[in-house]
Amino acid sequence: MADRKPRLAIFKFSSCDGCQLSLLDLEDELLSVAGAVDVAYFLEASTNPRGGPYDVALVEGSIATGEDVARIRQIRRRSRFLISIGACATAGGIQALRNFGSLAEYASGVYPRPQQLDVLATSTPISEHVKVDFELQGCPVNRRQLLEVVLAFLHRRRAVVPSHSVCVECKLRGTECVVVSRGIACMGPITQAGCGAICPAYGRGCYGCFGPAETFNAAALIDRWRQDGDGRFEVVQRLRHVNAWAPRMREESSRQESKPR
């Protein structure tokens, strides 16, 4: 890497492209980044993709088909460092909600010829199929955090990404707690920071877009929801959002769902 520009590649699997666009949203830094690396593969922004090997590969999206499995393994073999970005790549995304039910039942209710579908029974994160060197949570990812992670790997240092909860972001921006002041259900206490506490700032509860925080005291939060009148269905629904298949979210929602009515 010292004798040439490091080669960067960005790949997409089952996703909406939002996390790739976060990289393109780096208006002030984008030209500097593009000048410091050789962007070898980025179909969202280039019509001249080149094969590996790559020094750093960013991967967006979940694994949903057998073809996806083969492709991610090939990418892993060609990449020195592989970083999964966004809720789909790190936790299966919104499409992983199908993992809690029957794919056949869902498919028959949506498609006129479901037998033609060639998909896996589950939608899963990249880490369930190959070794991942770093996971950056978010839906979409925070563009500043994404830049920090890319630079950290290029310069062989530890990426500094906050692991505290959204509640800390609310305090930093002086936002009144919607739980205490309005009795609004909020995922903020168990969700990792990164969004800037946008929803609470506009009087809404956090939806958990940035995945589980380092400190994940779901039991205490659920007790509060129940005090405010939430039943089992509401609790499970709150835990099953874009990061529903993240292990701690999945385990807690399944535990709540299995409780007697």
Side-chain angles (χ1 to χ4, degrees):
M1 290 174 64
D3 299 325
R4 59 174 175 79
K5 288 183 179 181
R7 304 190 81 197
L8 176 68
I10 300 95
F11 298 96
K12 167 188 163 61
F13 285 82
S14 296
S15 60
C16 71
D17 286 28
C19 292
Q20 295 181 74
L21 291 175
S22 294
L23 183 63
L24 296 177
D25 282 343
L26 287 165
E27 297 96 343
D28 296 333
E29 299 87 358
L30 187 58
L31 290 179
S32 296
V33 172
V37 299
D38 174 12
V39 182
Y41 191 101
F42 190 10
L43 295 183
E44 186 75 25
S46 172
T47 58
N48 183 34
R50 284 167 285 141
Y54 309 109
D55 293 299
V56 177
L58 305 178
V59 180
E60 174 195 78
S62 64
I63 302 301
T65 69
E67 182 180 347
D68 287 346
V69 175
R71 183 167 163 248
I72 191 59
R73 289 174 178 169
Q74 182 182 63
I75 291 170
R76 174 70 270 189
R77 288 193 296 270
R78 294 179 177 178
S79 306
R80 182 168 194 164
F81 297 114
L82 190 149
I83 302 166
S84 57
I85 60 172
C88 294
T90 62
I94 195 72
Q95 54 270 31
L97 289 175
R98 78 176 191 233
N99 301 354
F100 296 97
S102 166
L103 175 62
E105 183 178 343
Y106 295 149
S108 64
V110 175
Y111 298 97
R113 290 181 292 277
Q115 66 275 10
Q116 295 182 0
L117 291 177
D118 182 19
V119 296
L120 300 174
T122 56
S123 171
T124 47
I126 302 300
S127 61
E128 290 198 18
H129 302 273
V130 297
K131 177 181 178 290
V132 171
D133 297 294
F134 193 90
E135 291 185 322
L136 184 63
Q137 299 176 179
C139 184
V141 293
N142 180 304
R143 60 181 180 172
R144 301 296 173 189
Q145 290 184 2
L146 178 57
L147 178 62
E148 160 63 17
V149 171
V150 171
L151 293 178
F153 273 86
L154 292 177
H155 294 289
R156 306 290 186 84
R157 63 172 175 80
R158 179 178 176 273
V160 180
V161 176
S163 59
H164 54 253
S165 73
V166 171
C167 292
V168 174
E169 291 189 312
C170 278
K171 294 180 185 299
L172 288 172
R173 67 183 295 168
T175 298
E176 184 179 64
C177 178
V178 297
V179 178
V180 175
S181 63
R182 306 188 191 184
I184 296 174
C186 180
M187 291 279 287
I190 61 173
T191 299
Q192 181 172 292
C195 65
I198 297 173
C199 288
Y202 287 91
R204 300 191 298 266
C206 168
Y207 292 95
C209 296
F210 272 70
E214 187 173 59
T215 300
F216 190 78
N217 189 358
L221 180 61
I222 291 169
D223 284 344
R224 175 58 195 247
W225 290 346
R226 288 200 166 122
Q227 290 173 23
D228 291 334
D230 277 4
R232 186 182 67 164
F233 176 79
E234 288 81 10
V235 169
V236 172
Q237 289 295 96
R238 295 192 199 288
L239 294 169
R240 290 184 180 171
H241 195 238
V242 293
N243 286 285
W245 202 244
R248 285 177 290 179
M249 291 287 192
R250 179 173 77 235
E251 291 163 8
E252 189 59 43
S253 70
S254 296
R255 182 161 41 248
Q256 296 297 324
E257 188 174 47
S258 65
K259 286 186 175 182
R261 293 181 181 275

